[in-house]
Amino acid sequence: MQKQQLAKSFESIGEEYDRYRPGFPAAAAAEIIPELVDSVLDLGAGTGKFTELLIERADRVVAVEPSAAMLDVLRAKLPNVEAIVGGAESIALPDATLDAVTVAQAFHWFDRDPACAEMARVLVPGGTLGLLWNHSDPTCTWDRACHRVAHPAVAEEDATTESAAEELPGFAFDHHAEIAWSENIARSAYIARWLTVSSFLVADEETRAQMVAELEAILDADPQTAGQSQFELPMLTDVFVYTAS
Ligand SMILES: C[S@@+](CC[C@H](N)C(=O)[O-])C[C@H]1O[C@@H](n2cnc3c(N)ncnc32)[C@H](O)[C@@H]1O
């Protein structure tokens, strides 16, 4: 399966994505932008699940996202955010105009070198780049087992932080933070969330039904989830902060 096909799998699922995908802890936004700045761009912004945390941290918030369906949800939720359809490799914004660029759960989909060149171009000298990803907690046996159902063929989540190399062209690595948090989630919403993950989106109907049956079997068998309709899901958010050099 081509990476581009997987990246495009999000094109049509704006509302389900927004309803079921996890958000981010406010501490993740504070890690990247500790004090109020003039302007920030959220790149690969999707439906705005991370963008919404930036409103308190910048006077001007811009979102760039290739999927029109995702951006429609963002526009409805966050009318004060400037929303632009587009990709990271060609950002329709002028040079040296932004204090910070953030990329939540999306950097691994970008064509790395042209995207880095574009992010460096739109940032002011010394501006901040923050890359972040949510991860499952390795100590949570049932969530880990469900991840293995989703990711034997593709590695949407497991390969993610690998794309945050300490050396990104045009940037100096500043620091990494891992933020632990948890989410109370209904079993039905947990299953529905998996249906918004690229490997489920691109699977044919029969394979998808089989994958869902495997998730159900894991939840029925694990002592922490068996017979429960609501779970406490531990999450980790990895944040990588860089400075434009
Ligand atoms: C997993 S979603 C994350 C969305 C949002 N940042 C969030 O955390 O909820 C990945 C997003 O990256 C976008 N994307 C894929 N390829 C991209 C590219 N080349 N440039 C910008 N965004 C891209 C997808 O359309 C999708 O909205």
Side-chain angles (χ1 to χ4, degrees):
M1 180 73 59
Q2 292 292 315
K3 183 178 161 186
Q4 275 184 339
Q5 276 175 274
L6 288 167
K8 279 179 184 286
S9 66
F10 298 109
E11 270 176 3
S12 57
I13 60 148
E15 280 176 21
E16 290 89 339
Y17 189 98
D18 196 57
R19 186 168 320 134
Y20 296 119
R21 280 294 185 106
F24 297 89
E31 197 66 46
I32 302 165
I33 308 175
E35 285 169 19
L36 186 75
V37 293
D38 287 337
S39 55
V40 59
L41 163 65
D42 193 25
L43 195 50
T47 61
K49 293 189 90 78
F50 186 66
T51 323
E52 64 192 37
L53 296 177
L54 298 172
I55 288 167
E56 285 183 5
R57 312 218 145 254
D59 292 332
R60 176 183 178 219
V61 181
V62 186
V64 167
E65 161 59 43
S67 157
M70 293 275 215
L71 215 50
D72 282 348
V73 177
L74 184 148
R75 285 194 181 105
K77 269 196 331 187
L78 306 172
N80 295 330
V81 169
E82 291 169 44
I84 302 170
V85 177
E89 300 77 8
S90 174
I91 303 171
L93 289 167
D95 297 358
T97 45
L98 297 155
D99 296 305
V101 173
T102 59
V103 186
Q105 309 275 118
F107 184 71
H108 56 291
W109 296 123
F110 298 174
D111 192 350
R112 182 177 173 273
D113 287 2
C116 284
E118 277 295 86
M119 295 189 296
R121 180 185 67 75
V122 297
L123 277 170
V124 296
T128 302
L129 169 65
L131 309 181
L132 60 150
W133 288 270
N134 282 329
H135 282 289
S136 61
D137 183 327
T139 63
C140 183
T141 49
W142 50 275
D143 190 44
R144 270 286 140 145
C146 290
H147 272 263
R148 282 193 288 276
V149 173
H151 302 303
V154 293
E156 181 189 340
E157 311 230 334
D158 289 342
T160 52
T161 47
E162 285 166 25
S163 65
E166 290 196 2
E167 294 301 323
L168 290 182
F171 293 92
F173 179 67
D174 185 90
H175 71 280
H176 165 245
E178 185 183 74
I179 298 162
W181 56 293
S182 76
E183 186 192 7
N184 194 266
I185 187 166
R187 176 177 169 137
S188 56
Y190 181 75
I191 299 279
R193 173 175 295 176
W194 282 111
L195 294 170
T196 69
V197 167
S198 58
S199 54
F200 282 76
L201 290 171
V202 299
D204 61 53
E205 221 169 295
E206 194 185 337
T207 310
R208 188 161 43 238
Q210 199 180 327
M211 290 162 87
V212 170
E214 286 178 49
L215 299 180
E216 302 273 12
I218 290 164
L219 299 177
D220 286 340
D222 194 289
Q224 284 178 15
T225 50
Q228 311 282 329
S229 59
Q230 199 79 22
F231 321 131
E232 196 64 25
L233 174 64
M235 304 277 290
L236 297 173
T237 300
D238 262 314
V239 186
F240 298 84
V241 182
Y242 302 80
T243 304
S245 49

